[in-house]
Structures are given as C-alpha cells and as structure tokens.
Amino acid sequence: MRFLSVVFLLLMLGFGLGCGKKSQATEKSTSDDTIQIFSSLPSSTTGVTFNNELKESPQRHYSNFNPIYDGGGVATGDFNNDGLTDLYFTGNEVDNRLYINKGDLKFEDITEKAGVAAKGGWKNGVSLVDINHDGFLDIYVCKGGWIKDSTQRRNLLYINKGDLTFTEEAKKFGLDDPGYSFQSAFFDADNDGDLDVYVINHPDKSNLTLEEYKAGKANGNKYCKDHFYRNHGNGTFTDVTNAAGLGGDYGFGLSVSTADLDHNGYIDIYVSNDYQEPDYMYLNNGNGTFTESIKDRTGHISFFSMGVDIADLDDDGWEDIFVSEMLPEDYKRSKINMASMNAPLFNRMVDEGFHRCYMHNVLQMNRGNGYFSDVAQLARLPG
C-alpha cells in the first residue's frame, strides 16, 4: 500500500489534481512543437498564497547549513472526504498552511481553524496517512534544519478529527522524533496489517569529509541518523532502528520510497542521499530486519541524489527505480560545475568503500535476478 509522501522536489505538479471539474489547462502547440499541458494560475484566482520565505544570516548561510535552500514540502489529499483534493504546505520558518478545495481550482485557507500551522522550528517534508484507521487522513510533519534545541525539532502528528480540525499527538503515538528530520515514509514492513514508518534524519553539520561520513556511520549522534518505528497495532510506535539493522546510516537523505524490489513478499526501502554518502537500498529480510544492498544490486548510482520514485515501468512485474540528480539544464553549465566530481575524488570514494557515483539521473531497471541496470541514457532521460 502506497501513501502520498511528497517533498519539495515535486512541489506543485499542478493544481488540477482531483479538483472535481474539468481543468482550465489547455493543450496547444508552440513554435517549437512542444505541448503545453498545464497553465499557471495566479493566487488571486486559486486563493493559494503560501510563500516559503527564507531569511539568511551569517549563522544560517549555505556555507555552514547546506540544506537551507532544500525547501519545505507539499502534500495533496482529501481531508474532509468530499471527493476534492486539498493542499497542505510546510514552510521552513513560516507557518504551514492548509487549503481546502472548494472546486473550480479555488481553495480556502483554514489553517488557523484546523490548528495545523506548526509554529516554530524548521519544517521539512510531510506525509499523509490514516494512522488511526478512522477514515480520515492525518498529517505527519518532519522538523529539523539548523535548530539545535531538540524540543523545537520534534516531529508533529496532526490527528484529523473528521470536522476539519486536528489535534497534535506525535508524543502519544511515540512518533515525536527529536532528530534533524527531513522526510518520512509509512508502510507495512512486517505484513501485520498496520503501518510502520521510516524517518530520514540529517547530520547536524554540513560540508562533511569522507572520514566524517565514515565516523558518523559508526558512532554518529542518534539524532543525526535515520530512524525506523514499529507499529504495535494499539496506537503506539517504538524505535527499533538498531534491532532492524538500520542503524548504520549517516547521510543527507532527501527522499524515500518503499516497494517490494525483490519479490519476497515484503516491502523494501530506498533512500536517495545527497553528497558523498551513497543511496540506501534496504532489502527486507522478512524477519524484522533489513540488509543494505546498494553496492551489491547496482553498478553505479547518482552522486547528488535528489528525489526517488519506484514503479514497474516496463510491465514485467518487477519494480524499477528512478533517481533524479541535481543537474543544470544545459551541457555547458554541467561542464563548468564538474569540479565537484573530479576523478581523484571519485577514485578515493570507491577506495574508501563508498559507491561509484556519477552526476546524472539513473533509471535502474529491475532485471528480476537481484540486479538493477541503469538505462537512463537508453531511455533518453535528461542527465
């Protein structure tokens, strides 16, 4: 079962999703024979005025806080079960906003009434899930960023009361993760009929060396490592990260997707990591544990991995993996920026036990024999 978990990389694919009436977008040919599918609508028309405004400072500049420009997140779902898709935005430092779909691509901001502004701290990704099985979507918000105060980093779980109001109950459920959280994924890891959750957490400093990555993986602060929570089926969760074999991470994960990649009947986890730390492919062993297998199952991966999605693209019954790289549009600029992927660094990463990482998108086709082959160039995908 898949649950909507959309991060900043997929921000606003279009307001036309599930709005009940025919989209105002039109299709027309342009001078270069491209097709215009979506039309940009102003906030004066839609009522969506959210703005993730950032304020730089010497202490919070990219040079010492790399994720400052990673953005927040947006999730789409029907919160009041009226058949229309609503919008929930997370703002890094500004308040989150909830917009209820009124039809005809018009939305109403009900944030204050709903009680889901999530004031304070630094907010990142958001996931929607009916965590208490009452038929209404709940909201899970990851918090982290540069905030050193752990009380301002605790993740939030807004329980939908069914009347467009919510109560924050992350601590009650055991999901108030105090790490430097970025995104989450809910899925049934043990086939017991309830949803467990994987939470991405980031290191608390930027510009790490290979030695710092290795030290962090071995003995890093638990708040800087990803966490896995087991659902007990009674409305509570327990952190079982180490027992599940998931405690050896230390990276800047930006996205997480889940699917059964090896057809053993259990859902696996794929995390796309930015910078030198390779992506994680956690294969579910079916006994409550996972095995990280990215180097064994792929020949190479993206270097600065951004988003990841999983689907059976060739209808062969096996799930394939697409990972987007942080790439410029034109070839000239990609060559200008190639200094960050120099040959000595590449070779040293391989020698130090990291993976072969290249600055391009990858489309890992599942061969059905335990191995994935990158066919992005054959598929003529950008990058």
Side-chain angles (χ1 to χ4, degrees):
M1 185 174 185
R2 294 188 177 181
F3 289 84
L4 183 57
S5 177
V6 186
V7 296
F8 67 100
L9 297 169
L10 300 179
L11 186 63
M12 299 312 294
L13 288 174
F15 288 140
L17 179 62
C19 291
K21 295 190 177 182
K22 184 176 180 179
S23 171
Q24 297 177 24
T26 59
E27 295 188 10
K28 61 181 180 180
S29 297
T30 61
S31 58
D32 60 356
D33 294 326
T34 59
I35 302 297
Q36 179 179 329
I37 300 176
F38 295 101
S39 296
S40 177
L41 300 179
S43 59
S44 58
T45 297
T46 65
V48 178
T49 59
F50 174 81
N51 180 20
N52 188 33
E53 182 179 3
L54 298 176
K55 296 180 180 179
E56 287 186 348
S57 70
Q59 294 75 31
R60 297 191 293 109
H61 190 269
Y62 176 81
S63 60
N64 55 33
F65 176 43
N66 290 169
I68 190 170
Y69 299 121
D70 282 354
V74 57
T76 63
D78 186 358
F79 292 107
N80 54 354
N81 293 344
D82 65 351
L84 301 176
T85 302
D86 311 307
L87 304 172
Y88 185 79
F89 293 87
T90 62
N92 294 139
E93 294 180 297
V94 302
D95 291 351
N96 297 354
R97 311 306 297 179
L98 173 59
Y99 294 91
I100 292 298
N101 192 334
K102 311 300 289 186
D104 291 322
L105 295 172
K106 298 185 184 300
F107 296 81
E108 177 187 356
D109 185 345
I110 65 163
T111 305
E112 302 308 325
K113 171 189 173 184
V116 292
K119 298 179 182 296
W122 184 281
K123 285 84 68 178
N124 290 305
V126 54
S127 296
L128 304 185
V129 56
D130 181 6
I131 203 166
N132 55 359
H133 305 289
D134 65 351
F136 290 92
L137 284 176
D138 309 303
I139 306 172
Y140 189 63
V141 178
C142 287
K143 299 181 68 177
W146 60 278
I147 307 297
K148 299 301 180 183
D149 181 358
S150 63
T151 63
Q152 289 294 308
R153 293 198 312 265
R154 291 191 176 275
N155 293 350
L156 305 173
L157 176 62
Y158 289 110
I159 299 298
N160 191 333
K161 309 307 290 186
D163 58 357
L164 291 181
T165 65
F166 296 74
T167 58
E168 202 291 299
E169 300 184 14
K171 184 176 182 180
K172 175 182 176 181
F173 279 79
L175 293 177
D176 57 333
D177 191 306
Y180 294 84
S181 298
F182 194 82
Q183 183 57 307
S184 65
F186 287 83
F187 67 105
D188 187 357
D190 48 9
N191 292 350
D192 64 351
D194 53 39
L195 298 174
D196 312 295
V197 59
Y198 184 95
V199 177
I200 294 175
N201 286 323
H202 284 180
D204 58 357
K205 60 177 292 188
S206 299
N207 305 309
L208 302 180
T209 64
L210 295 184
E211 289 74 17
E212 288 175 313
Y213 276 111
K214 294 173 68 175
K217 288 166 69 72
N219 301 300
N221 187 321
K222 66 178 182 179
Y223 296 147
C224 303
K225 289 173 169 285
D226 297 354
H227 291 156
F228 177 63
Y229 293 88
R230 185 81 68 189
N231 189 335
H232 295 294
N234 59 358
T236 63
F237 291 73
T238 300
D239 184 348
V240 295
T241 306
N242 292 331
L246 298 170
D249 69 282
Y250 198 75
F252 291 90
L254 296 183
S255 182
V256 53
S257 288
T258 60
D260 184 1
L261 299 174
D262 55 1
H263 274 201
N264 72 341
Y266 289 87
I267 301 298
D268 310 303
I269 307 168
Y270 193 102
V271 180
S272 60
N273 286 318
D274 202 354
Y275 309 115
Q276 288 95 326
E277 177 70 351
D279 296 351
Y280 304 134
M281 182 188 290
Y282 292 118
L283 296 183
N284 193 329
N285 298 316
N287 60 0
T289 68
F290 294 77
T291 300
E292 205 293 297
S293 307
I294 193 69
K295 289 176 63 178
D296 296 332
R297 303 300 177 119
T298 64
H300 62 261
I301 57 175
S302 295
F303 194 167
F304 301 104
S305 298
M306 301 281 110
V308 57
D309 203 0
I310 300 175
D312 181 6
L313 297 178
D314 53 359
D315 293 325
D316 66 349
W318 294 84
E319 301 277 14
D320 310 302
I321 305 168
F322 177 72
V323 179
S324 59
E325 168 70 67
M326 188 181 70
L327 294 169
E329 289 189 31
D330 61 274
Y331 184 76
K332 178 180 179 180
R333 184 164 175 77
S334 71
K335 294 293 102 179
I336 293 174
N337 290 336
M338 281 296 285
S340 59
M341 195 197 155
N342 57 76
L345 174 61
F346 176 90
N347 291 328
R348 186 182 169 210
M349 287 174 60
V350 174
D351 292 341
E352 291 287 337
F354 294 73
H355 203 9
R356 292 176 172 81
C357 302
Y358 296 96
M359 288 180 62
H360 62 71
N361 299 338
V362 296
L363 174 56
Q364 304 282 10
M365 299 301 292
N366 193 331
R367 298 304 185 187
N369 59 0
Y371 197 78
F372 292 78
S373 298
D374 176 22
V375 298
Q377 300 302 316
L378 295 175
R380 297 183 180 179
L381 295 175

